[in-house]
Amino acid sequence: MGIGELDREAHVPEGRPKGTAAGPRTLAEALRARGDDGLAALLRARPDLLGPVPNDLTQLATRAGTRASVVRALERLDRFSLQVAEALAVAPDPAPYPVLLDLFTGGHEEPETEAALPRAVALLREQALVWGEDDRLRLVRTARELLAPSPQHPSPTGLGPTVAEATAGMSPGRLQEIVAAAGLPSTHDPVSAVAALTGLFTDRKRMGALLDTAPPEALSVLDRLVWGPPYGEVTARPTAPVGWLRDRGLLLPVSPRTMVLPREVALHLRGGRAHRAPEPRAPEVGAARDYRPQVVDSAAAGQAYAALATVEELLKSWDHGGPAVLRAGGLAVRDLKRTAAALDVPEPVAAFWVELAYGAGLLASDGEADERYAPTPAYDDWLDQPPAERWARLAGAWLEATRTPGLVGGQDAKGRTLSALGPDLDRAAAPEVRHRVLALLATLPPGAAADPETLLARLRWERPTRGTTTARSAPPATAGPGVGPGVGTDTAAGAGAAADSGAESGAAGPWASEAGPGRGPGGPVAARPAADLRERLARWALGDAELLGVTGRGALSTAARALLNLPLDAPAGQAAEGGGVEPEVAAERAAELLEPLLPQAVDHVLLQADLTAVAPGPLLRPLADALAVLADVESKGGATVYRFTPGSVRRALDTGRSASDLHAFLAAHARTPVPQPLAYLIDDVARKHGHLRIGAASAYVRCDDDALLGEILADRRSAALRLRRLAPTVLAAQTDPSSLLDGLRSMGYAPAAESAEGDVLITRADAHRTPPRTPPAPVPDGPPAPDTTLLKAAVRAIRAGDHAATAVRKEPAVPVTTGGLPRTSAAETLATVQAAAMTGSAVWIGYVNAEGAASQRVIAPVRVEGGFVTGYDHTADEVRTYPLHRITGVAELADEEV
């Protein structure tokens, strides 16, 4: 919107008051007529207008008409509201409400559309995209420029330019030829000729009579252009049907090879409708299947427990330092494959778990020279929490994360593969889409699983793909039989190539969508329009919610409703509204609801003679940690099976435990007697453990049994260790202690590492942690939504600034304004503010602050002393003190403003 539109009142004859019964003449006037609630609703719907807070309503109107702000507002409209804006873009400016209604109904009774249209107009007016009374509805200029047709981009309605627009620049002689061919009397100037053609094309009776004389092939050409795109390419010698249409102005040239169907002709052929298929009502989200709520909650709880176990297993496997960080950041493809194999899940699912742990702050890079991924100190705190609280933390992190694991494996704009934990995975729309998907699930009865296609259709209606709100229902324009070589309506080579009226490509329309990487169910896919990303985000949200236990069997669980701050007993079909509690309180409530459904931890195992132990349920944390060191997990499920091996027993001995400690541990936690094979295994490994000692020489081996050292030297497998005897009980090695330790263990020995003082070194599995790390911050999707306090303050400041800018001032005896600020001498300024302080009246001042910024203010002085004036500043809505030497001048307000 230009300044000319905002200040159009400058051209209004003097004496005509602003804001008369005829309605506002500018958007600024329309905003000025709103109440505080109306301004707050505008700022809430378009928070970008608050950065920074506008000085007055004129500046607010100017900012609301900028291209970036209008595009953002249009992108957030539902399908029908956007259709209304598109209809206004092709309607006369201004458009009376009945004209707008006829563009949707074609003059017929359509109760559903007639009921929805006032709500859509009210929404557009609330968001300052439309202003004016119902008899003079105006679309803001920038929106009209975006949505109105042009040779570069036809209107989303499929309509082309008007006769006046299409004939601009046409020679007067050619216009008279068209007028004569159409059966109209000749005129004396191009303006009246265009008016005559427009009158003919908008007169249904005369237009019908003209089309009755058209050849059938000509009508076939019109049928393929009527719903758009309205442009077609012609050859140098068009066929007779095309020539007949061109001669009568039913097709008008926009270039030597391109013809366009005028808007008035298209509207006649459409029966006066701007859209082929108006969609005034949001599609209903259907239920695919109904379950008992208890079944849903149980399934979700089981999946939540599996999610906790998966994240714990992932981070345990990285306890000693996980995979290396790529130079460009992220996880290598081979490392993701190893992780997927270790978790026994597909790679996309493994990427989800890795990203979830990272988003929850449980995983990060360690920042070392050889940078690797490892658990953070927050992981240990997380393990100490009850299972339900741990789940609430994971689910909360997933809801608010902008990182999108579904993109892993796709490519960025430069063709580089996107890796897990790497850059460029943030999508600002992800949290909003997740919340909306779950809110739509909450509108179904408890226990009902949504039909994904109906849910996606609802999301597409709420945020339509850009440029396809109406073209989606139009058949693709293709040349057909009977048209001949003179015209082809395939717009690939014509001026209408920017609008594809076939399937929803998402790449057409008045503003271009950016292509973005994607990953479909079957793996990486080609780049797609950014608008299509919302649908992929919705599909990923449904899958991720099931993995995480937010949903069970496709239905929203009770714990998830609490986490989302939704009422637990909302009637089906109603929009889910938040309960207004803090997120921490909602998380606690969700944990309380989930806790009874999770399996209870047990404090015992069942030992078996085949060197295995069966845990009949989830183990208590200390028992699980100790058993994970002493045995290897063989299988997982409802009952976890552990297997004892010489390596696992040696691992337990390396932590500083003795054989007697292990026997006592098993006896204390086993519900069955310790089998003899297991007791023998522990004693046998313990007898050999520590018999050899490894230290640094580079490395050495010492042992009291010189025969054992001789046996090692004689073993051919020790050649790689490059051992030599230094003394009867000492061998030196040309390798580091850890390699020597691993080498001897691979040969079947059980050495123990020792310190420089000769003490046995005790190692623990949880030794490696990153420094304290904070979870990755979500990437904001535009300015944050303002709270009530900010809205009230902003509205008050805008009102005050507007009062100062529009207050009526008395004219001083001598003209004293320069650049909009009053200019008076120091003596006159002092005298005026002193008089105002005595009478309690308000004055208008010009003020320059310490940074040199000038502003206008309306103040009510209460005290003038010491070179300062103190008064109530109506602009700032507070009492302030101003140095008199910074006041450029002062003027009294008119009597009606005092």
Side-chain angles (χ1 to χ4, degrees):
M1 177 181 296
I3 298 298
E5 181 176 355
L6 295 172
D7 294 334
R8 196 178 296 153
E9 60 267 23
H11 305 286
V12 177
E14 292 184 8
R16 179 176 176 179
K18 297 181 181 180
T20 60
R25 293 158 299 168
T26 66
L27 177 58
E29 278 190 21
L31 295 179
R32 195 166 287 123
R34 290 191 184 191
D36 288 351
D37 290 342
L39 288 180
L42 168 61
L43 298 176
R44 185 182 296 107
R46 299 175 64 178
D48 57 293
L49 302 179
L50 279 173
V53 176
N55 292 333
D56 52 40
L57 289 171
T58 300
Q59 190 178 87
L60 176 62
T62 303
R63 193 176 296 173
T66 58
R67 183 181 179 89
S69 182
V70 170
V71 166
R72 183 175 179 83
L74 290 175
E75 287 178 341
R76 293 178 173 272
L77 293 176
D78 61 68
R79 189 182 298 279
F80 186 64
S81 298
L82 187 55
Q83 285 182 331
V84 173
E86 292 164 355
L88 282 171
V90 297
D93 186 29
Y97 182 84
V99 172
L100 176 62
L101 179 61
D102 286 344
L103 286 174
F104 280 93
T105 64
H108 300 86
E109 289 188 7
E110 295 185 7
E112 195 173 71
T113 300
E114 293 172 7
L117 187 58
R119 292 193 296 268
V121 172
L123 175 64
L124 294 174
R125 188 182 278 129
E126 176 187 280
Q127 298 194 18
L129 295 172
V130 168
W131 57 278
E133 302 299 329
D134 283 353
D135 59 339
R136 296 177 63 83
L137 293 173
R138 291 183 181 273
L139 191 66
V140 294
R141 182 176 301 172
T142 307
R144 179 174 290 275
E145 292 170 354
L146 289 167
L147 300 175
S150 72
Q152 290 72 35
H153 54 77
S155 165
T157 61
L159 293 170
T162 62
V163 173
E165 294 167 346
T167 57
M170 185 178 288
S171 68
R174 177 61 185 145
L175 275 174
Q176 294 302 325
E177 292 175 2
I178 294 175
V179 167
L184 298 173
S186 61
T187 63
H188 301 288
D189 59 87
V191 175
S192 57
V194 169
L197 280 175
T198 301
L200 170 63
F201 295 158
T202 54
D203 187 322
R204 294 197 175 187
K205 185 175 181 180
R206 289 193 295 157
M207 186 65 174
L210 176 62
L211 292 176
D212 287 342
T213 64
E217 295 84 357
L219 295 178
S220 178
V221 173
L222 293 179
D223 287 342
R224 287 194 298 277
L225 293 175
V226 62
W227 290 106
Y231 295 93
E233 186 177 299
V234 296
T235 62
R237 295 182 179 179
T239 59
V242 175
W244 190 92
L245 295 171
R246 183 191 60 183
D247 292 344
R248 288 155 182 80
L250 299 174
L251 290 180
L252 293 172
V254 292
S255 72
R257 304 235 354 191
T258 305
M259 304 293 288
V260 66
L261 181 68
R263 186 183 307 170
E264 293 85 352
V265 177
L267 285 173
H268 173 83
L269 296 172
R270 294 181 178 193
R273 297 174 182 268
H275 298 87
R276 189 172 195 173
E279 299 183 56
R281 186 169 59 88
E284 295 291 337
V285 178
R289 189 170 178 182
D290 292 328
Y291 301 94
R292 288 187 299 110
Q294 295 83 354
V295 173
V296 170
D297 289 344
S298 297
Q303 197 58 45
Y305 176 75
L308 296 176
T310 302
V311 172
E312 188 174 341
E313 181 181 358
L314 167 68
L315 295 177
K316 266 189 179 179
S317 66
W318 291 4
D319 257 345
H320 293 290
V325 180
L326 294 175
R327 182 179 302 175
L331 198 63
V333 174
R334 63 178 179 275
D335 291 325
L336 181 61
K337 288 182 177 179
R338 292 192 190 115
T339 302
L343 298 178
D344 194 22
V345 295
E347 289 176 40
V349 178
F352 168 74
W353 294 121
V354 169
E355 284 287 343
L356 179 63
Y358 177 60
L362 309 179
L363 173 69
S365 61
D366 57 14
E368 302 291 341
D370 181 20
E371 195 171 18
R372 310 185 80 81
Y373 289 106
T376 65
Y379 168 61
D380 298 312
D381 298 333
W382 180 75
L383 286 177
D384 292 336
Q385 293 178 326
E389 293 183 14
R390 284 189 278 145
W391 175 83
R393 178 169 174 180
L394 289 180
W398 170 72
L399 280 172
E400 302 304 329
T402 55
R403 292 186 62 82
T404 311
L407 296 173
V408 172
Q411 294 184 337
D412 62 11
K414 297 182 179 179
R416 296 172 299 195
T417 301
L418 297 170
S419 59
L421 301 179
D424 302 326
L425 287 184
D426 284 287
R427 296 296 181 269
E432 187 264 338
V433 172
R434 291 191 197 108
H435 278 275
R436 188 57 190 151
V437 166
L438 298 180
L440 289 175
L441 291 178
T443 62
L444 297 174
D451 176 14
E453 294 308 317
T454 61
L455 188 144
L456 294 174
R458 174 62 173 266
L459 290 174
R460 284 192 292 267
W461 186 90
E462 292 179 348
R463 293 285 181 84
T465 303
R466 293 177 290 187
T468 59
T469 55
T470 46
R472 63 187 293 271
S473 58
T478 55
V483 177
V487 62
T489 55
D490 185 350
T491 59
D500 180 6
S501 62
E504 287 189 39
S505 66
W511 57 94
S513 8
E514 299 177 357
R519 183 178 181 87
V525 296
R528 298 180 180 181
D532 182 49
L533 178 64
R534 286 183 60 85
E535 182 168 329
R536 287 183 287 150
L537 287 173
R539 292 186 183 273
W540 292 333
L542 289 171
D544 296 348
E546 193 72 15
L547 278 176
L548 195 52
V550 173
T551 58
R553 303 193 179 185
L556 196 65
S557 69
T558 304
R561 288 177 183 268
L563 185 67
L564 293 167
N565 199 7
L566 301 175
L568 304 183
D569 54 354
Q574 288 189 3
E577 299 292 343
V581 301
E582 295 296 328
E584 295 80 5
V585 178
E588 292 176 3
R589 187 182 176 202
E592 291 174 359
L593 292 170
L594 180 64
E595 184 68 35
L597 302 175
L598 294 177
Q600 297 300 310
V602 298
D603 61 353
H604 63 275
V605 295
L606 305 176
L607 299 178
Q608 302 184 108
D610 60 350
L611 297 180
T612 60
V614 178
L619 298 176
L620 293 173
R621 176 63 46 203
L623 175 58
D625 291 341
L627 195 59
V629 176
L630 180 57
D632 298 324
V633 176
E634 187 169 82
S635 66
K636 295 176 293 185
T640 305
V641 178
Y642 294 85
R643 178 166 293 279
F644 299 93
T645 65
S648 68
V649 174
R650 187 190 64 240
R651 187 170 63 225
L653 294 173
D654 284 343
T655 63
R657 292 194 173 194
S658 63
S660 60
D661 294 335
L662 298 182
H663 286 299
F665 170 78
L666 292 175
H669 295 94
R671 288 290 177 88
T672 57
V674 178
Q676 194 176 53
L678 178 56
Y680 284 169
L681 174 66
I682 294 173
D683 292 338
D684 187 52
V685 174
R687 186 166 47 252
K688 299 176 182 179
H689 185 267
H691 196 47
L692 295 176
R693 301 292 182 91
I694 302 298
S698 299
Y700 64 83
V701 184
R702 70 180 180 88
C703 180
D704 296 335
D705 187 354
D706 58 347
L708 180 57
L709 294 183
E711 179 184 334
I712 293 173
L713 281 174
D715 195 325
R716 274 191 251 178
R717 293 175 295 175
S718 67
L721 302 177
R722 300 168 65 188
L723 297 169
R724 62 189 179 89
R725 190 185 293 269
L726 294 181
T729 58
V730 180
L731 297 179
Q734 300 300 314
T735 186
D736 60 273
S738 61
S739 298
L740 180 58
L741 193 69
D742 293 338
L744 290 179
R745 284 176 175 170
S746 67
M747 293 168 61
Y749 299 98
E754 70 177 16
S755 66
E757 292 77 20
D759 300 322
V760 175
L761 288 177
I762 297 175
T763 59
R764 299 193 182 276
D766 57 353
H768 189 68
R769 289 290 182 269
T770 71
R773 298 281 194 246
T774 56
V779 175
D781 184 18
D787 56 22
T788 304
T789 302
L790 176 58
L791 285 176
K792 289 182 178 179
V795 169
R796 187 167 58 247
I798 294 171
R799 288 282 190 207
D802 196 62
H803 176 68
T806 60
V808 180
R809 275 79 66 174
K810 286 183 177 180
E811 292 296 331
V814 180
V816 289
T817 59
T818 302
L821 294 178
R823 294 280 181 178
T824 56
S825 65
E828 291 173 324
T829 298
L830 178 60
T832 305
V833 296
Q834 284 178 336
M838 294 177 62
T839 60
S841 58
V843 293
W844 173 54
I845 67 170
Y847 180 71
V848 179
N849 63 16
E851 287 75 30
S855 61
Q856 308 175 46
R857 299 178 180 275
V858 174
I859 68 171
V862 295
R863 185 173 64 253
V864 182
E865 61 183 16
F868 293 88
V869 54
T870 301
Y872 180 77
D873 189 333
H874 291 273
T875 308
D877 197 19
E878 64 182 7
V879 175
R880 289 188 175 181
T881 299
Y882 296 99
L884 283 170
H885 69 276
R886 293 194 177 276
I887 296 178
T888 63
V890 62
E892 296 180 359
L893 299 180
D895 293 339
E896 61 270 20
E897 294 290 335
V898 177

